[in-house]
Amino acid sequence: MIVTYPFSAVVGLDDLKLALVLNAVSPRVGGVLVRGEKGTAKSTIVRALAAQLPSVDVVPGCRFACDPVAPDPECPDGPHEPGSAAVTRPAALVELPVGASEDRLVGALDVERALTEGVKAFEPGLLAAAHRGVLYVDEVNLLHDHLVDLLLDAAALGTCYVERESVSVRHPARFLLVGTMNPEEGELRPQLLDRFGLTVEVKASRDPAERAEVVRRRLAFDADAESFAARWTAEESALVVRIARARARMPAVRLPDARLRQIATVCAAFEVDGLRADLVTANAAIAHAAWHGRDAVTTEDVRAAARLSLPHRRRRDPFDAPGLDESLLEELLERTSDDDDPDDPPGGGRRDGEPGPADDATEPPAPSANDSAGPPAPSADDGPGPQAAPASEDGAAAGRHEPSDGPDGQPRQAQGSGEPGSGQVAVAGVPYRVPLLEVPGLGEGVAGRRSRSRTPRGRATGARRPGGRVRDLHVVATVLAAAPHQVARGRGGPGLVLRADDLREVVREGREGNLVLFVVDASGSMAARRRMTAVKTAVLSLLLDAYQRRDKVGLVTFRGASAEVALPPTSSVEAGAARLRTLPTGGRTPLAAGLTRAAEVLRVERLRDPARRPLLVLVTDGRATAGGDVDRAADLLRGTASVVVDCESGPVRLGLAVRLASRLGARLVTLDSLTDLGSVVRDYRKAV
């Protein structure tokens, strides 16, 4: 028997616990997106809650977990008579793997049985299995966009619609949706972020005592899971009872007009798009009131709901991080709080954990993360972690000066510019739209929006024999393959006699995402005449383009005596923008080292992700004033789709970037030609 780590034994993570509990009380809240660094118990706590959800009664033999009291009249396994026999089972925990297909998610017709046996056999997907349980998606930001769309549509509607391959099926799909993600691997699109009801940012505590308690409990669980879980039986039982009571109380909880106006005022003041934020906040506030045993929503319920429902909806631009201005929230709540409202305690509510009407002896106590045999663990809020130093807003740090040109026409190096981090830091301007840079030929990579590719979704361009199970039947090609063999197979009726060898699937052409590796010259020559500001603006614009086209990105920089990988290939375009902000310039130009390092990065990435084709974007003026043979280094990159952004300016031009582009077989683009497109994508509130 597999023993799950107890929910009540998880140390800290109070916001995450509350968000999960609110969704357990009311699926209308819309799920939870858990953002956090690796190793922060995201998966552990989700599995722990699923194990504590109340059991459900289902119709025996129904693959869609119909409720015997009120079965779905359109259930594909029905019809079921209301009040029929029931089987009690634990709430399901279904995990959606990152590599799942659309068929696996929503279900599909068994094409081979339909053609060879004449049977319409529908195979339910994971959405059917998760009905009345928990659907857990680890690394949701790595799922294909169309799968995320299907998933969130089903979560919002409570119903899964399957319209494909001559089958039309509708079945209920109401579940607690939990997605986890590491922002380092890339962000979800803002419109997909908005579909998650609540979001929680999870970080490991920096308090040594709390970290020690986490390790102490985990070691105890790993040593004897059953004994450790037995110590938390009382707390876990209380949690199950309290969730069940809150669910029963939900229909009776009132949302007074004063609190509804408060919710609308808060959402409007934070300038969230649409009205989904208002609905989610209202549902979460009702669930919070039910969880605390109240019959009406109070200001405290609105506060708790807004803290969880609004941060991810405040993201205005692709490079913005989710967040919420707590002081503004408090100001809005205080301004709109109605002291005469009989449903509100004096002072406009209370904080969680303070004594209140729900904390009497008739209500099971909420399990505390700090109750254990060991010493109590401090709160996760006991002091902030280390803060990153703010980026300079003025283009250059105090005491740093832009190098001027020397007598030979070459720029003088900044003082100490031979050492990393000793150069000046330029500030990028407002990004603009750039031309489409694509990899030539036809790939077979991950679906995106950059280069031509064979993809599961797109326009049909042909047919082929399937390598395994048929996913997308090409009817005409299948019929044409079977037609010449009908006499030999003894066909005597109007129908075709088909064999498995006759089946053909559609070949579709769409667009793929690529690995865009930026190789940026950060030497002193790039800093001359404030050229680096234009370069950073161009790279930021290209990064924004990569974000919109669903690319992976990497960043190699070279200056001084060597080159470094400032950003290993990742789906987090935001991380690339962050590295760009602090990129210093100065020193000599080791162009060969930069090309060599880029070749090594691409070699390793081809082994890790062979289907994703690379696109090299080299940003340089072509000068090489430090070690290495540039021609030999360029030869390492031959055959790689490349673009050289020529940054040379001024009345006298040496044309070194032109020569380098010819050596690489690359497309040459001038910095001016990028800027001249000039159509601004967004009005950023401040320069990067």
Side-chain angles (χ1 to χ4, degrees):
M1 177 181 178
I2 299 177
V3 179
T4 304
Y5 192 91
F7 184 85
S8 307
V10 177
V11 178
L13 305 182
D14 294 334
D15 284 347
L16 177 53
K17 289 180 178 178
L18 178 61
L20 290 171
V21 164
L22 294 183
N23 274 272
V25 172
S26 173
R28 292 182 180 178
V29 172
V32 185
L33 176 64
V34 187
R35 297 165 44 89
E37 55 197 21
K38 45 191 174 291
T40 49
K42 300 188 295 292
S43 301
T44 298
I45 195 170
V46 173
R47 296 187 177 98
L49 178 68
Q52 303 308 318
L53 293 178
S55 298
V56 296
D57 293 334
V58 300
V59 175
C62 178
R63 297 173 297 169
F64 302 89
C66 276
D67 185 350
V69 176
D72 180 17
E74 299 183 25
C75 174
D77 284 354
H80 307 298
E81 290 295 330
S84 59
V87 175
T88 301
R89 64 166 175 77
L93 171 63
V94 176
E95 299 191 32
L96 176 63
V98 171
S101 66
E102 184 176 337
D103 290 348
R104 187 73 184 98
L105 179 63
V106 301
L109 177 72
D110 189 330
V111 178
E112 293 185 23
R113 288 190 61 191
L115 290 176
T116 58
E117 302 177 23
V119 177
K120 278 191 176 182
F122 177 72
E123 296 182 11
L126 295 177
L127 292 179
H131 180 48
R132 305 175 68 194
V134 178
L135 181 60
Y136 174 49
V137 188
D138 195 13
E139 303 295 347
V140 64
N141 52 326
L142 301 184
L143 275 181
H144 292 310
D145 287 345
H146 74 283
L147 291 182
V148 178
D149 285 330
L150 291 171
L151 180 66
L152 296 178
D153 281 342
L157 298 173
T159 304
C160 176
Y161 294 91
V162 184
E163 300 285 347
R164 55 189 306 171
E165 290 118 10
S166 303
V167 65
S168 178
V169 174
R170 185 204 67 83
H171 65 81
R174 292 183 293 275
F175 45 80
L176 194 169
L177 174 64
V178 183
T180 61
M181 59 174 283
N182 183 348
E184 294 178 358
E185 295 296 331
E187 288 282 0
L188 280 173
R189 288 181 289 150
Q191 56 268 48
L192 295 181
L193 277 175
D194 183 58
R195 301 298 293 273
F196 277 95
L198 310 179
T199 188
V200 179
E201 191 82 24
V202 176
K203 294 182 180 179
S205 172
R206 298 297 183 259
D207 182 78
E210 184 168 343
R211 295 173 73 96
E213 182 64 17
V214 172
V215 175
R216 185 181 297 114
R217 294 186 188 185
R218 188 71 215 189
L219 291 176
F221 177 79
D222 292 340
D224 190 345
E226 292 186 2
S227 297
F228 181 84
R231 300 211 309 263
W232 294 89
T233 301
E235 288 84 353
E236 297 292 86
S237 298
L239 175 65
V240 173
V241 171
R242 190 172 177 186
I243 290 175
R245 289 186 178 180
R247 283 182 172 181
R249 187 181 293 114
M250 271 281 299
V253 176
R254 295 185 297 105
L255 177 61
D257 284 344
R259 302 287 72 78
L260 181 56
R261 288 193 299 270
Q262 195 173 46
I263 290 171
T265 300
V266 169
C267 293
F270 278 106
E271 299 179 349
V272 296
D273 294 332
L275 293 173
R276 184 175 284 115
D278 304 63
L279 291 169
V280 170
T281 305
N283 283 320
I286 293 171
H288 191 267
W291 172 247
H292 284 278
R294 291 189 276 268
D295 295 326
V297 174
T298 66
T299 295
E300 177 54 35
D301 300 319
V302 175
R303 174 186 291 108
R307 289 182 63 250
L308 299 173
S309 65
L310 297 183
H312 58 305
R313 295 182 168 89
R314 287 281 298 143
R315 189 176 178 217
R316 312 301 298 178
D317 295 309
F319 299 146
D320 284 351
L324 189 69
D325 187 341
E326 295 271 359
S327 60
L328 176 58
L329 175 62
E330 291 300 325
E331 179 185 342
L332 292 168
L333 291 175
E334 183 178 352
R335 184 192 311 160
T336 56
S337 179
D338 185 0
D339 293 336
D340 295 330
D341 191 336
D343 296 318
D344 260 350
R350 61 180 180 87
R351 297 284 186 183
D352 288 345
E354 295 179 4
D359 300 314
D360 53 28
T362 62
E363 186 71 28
S368 170
N370 299 325
D371 293 339
S372 67
S379 169
D381 297 324
D382 289 348
Q387 299 294 322
S392 171
E393 294 291 340
D394 56 11
R400 291 177 180 168
H401 301 282
E402 181 181 358
S404 59
D405 289 346
D408 58 354
Q410 296 293 326
R412 292 193 181 98
Q413 297 176 20
Q415 183 177 359
S417 60
E419 296 298 327
S422 63
Q424 57 187 342
V425 179
V427 177
V430 178
Y432 43 79
R433 182 170 294 126
V434 296
L436 172 62
L437 307 176
E438 60 181 334
V439 179
L442 191 64
E444 294 186 354
V446 177
R449 297 182 178 178
R450 183 171 297 279
S451 306
R452 294 175 57 224
S453 173
R454 293 190 180 95
T455 61
R457 300 170 69 87
R459 62 185 181 89
T461 59
R464 64 184 175 189
R465 290 179 181 271
R469 178 182 173 184
V470 178
R471 298 292 183 184
D472 190 0
L473 180 70
H474 196 301
V475 177
V476 174
T478 299
V479 171
L480 291 176
H485 308 290
Q486 297 305 296
V487 174
R489 293 172 183 174
R491 173 187 168 188
L496 287 175
V497 180
L498 295 176
R499 301 285 186 266
D501 291 343
D502 300 329
L503 299 179
R504 298 292 185 271
E505 64 182 6
V506 180
V507 175
R508 298 186 180 275
E509 182 177 315
R511 291 276 172 177
E512 67 178 357
N514 299 110
L515 166 60
V516 182
L517 181 63
F518 295 93
V519 183
V520 180
D521 183 348
S523 63
S525 63
M526 298 294 288
R529 304 182 186 89
R530 297 197 178 276
R531 188 185 303 162
M532 199 60 190
T533 294
V535 169
K536 279 193 173 184
T537 304
V539 176
L540 181 65
S541 302
L542 290 166
L543 279 169
L544 182 59
D545 181 66
Y547 169 85
Q548 294 169 335
R549 298 188 186 280
R550 314 290 185 262
D551 295 318
K552 289 179 70 174
V553 297
L555 178 62
V556 173
T557 64
F558 56 95
R559 61 185 288 265
S562 62
E564 66 172 354
V565 181
L567 179 71
T570 175
S571 297
S572 178
V573 177
E574 295 81 0
R579 298 294 192 278
L580 190 66
R581 291 186 183 101
T582 56
L583 177 64
T585 56
R588 299 177 68 83
T589 310
L591 178 56
L595 297 175
T596 302
R597 181 60 62 92
E600 177 62 18
V601 170
L602 294 179
R603 184 189 68 80
V604 173
E605 194 62 20
R606 284 190 186 98
L607 298 176
R608 292 177 178 171
D609 193 356
R612 190 182 291 268
R613 297 188 295 165
L615 175 64
L616 179 75
V617 179
L618 175 61
V619 184
T620 182
D621 58 7
R623 290 183 174 89
T625 59
D629 187 334
V630 174
D631 289 344
R632 181 176 298 177
D635 289 341
L636 298 175
L637 293 165
R638 276 193 171 276
T640 301
S642 305
V643 175
V644 174
V645 180
D646 184 4
C647 300
E648 192 173 30
S649 61
V652 179
R653 305 195 181 196
L654 304 179
L656 299 176
V658 178
R659 177 179 175 275
L660 179 59
S662 176
R663 185 81 182 188
L664 288 169
R667 174 181 174 183
L668 182 68
V669 179
T670 65
L671 190 60
D672 291 339
S673 69
L674 289 177
T675 310
D676 285 345
L677 290 178
S679 55
V680 176
V681 178
R682 271 175 180 63
D683 182 15
Y684 274 55
R685 290 185 292 276
K686 62 179 181 179
V688 175

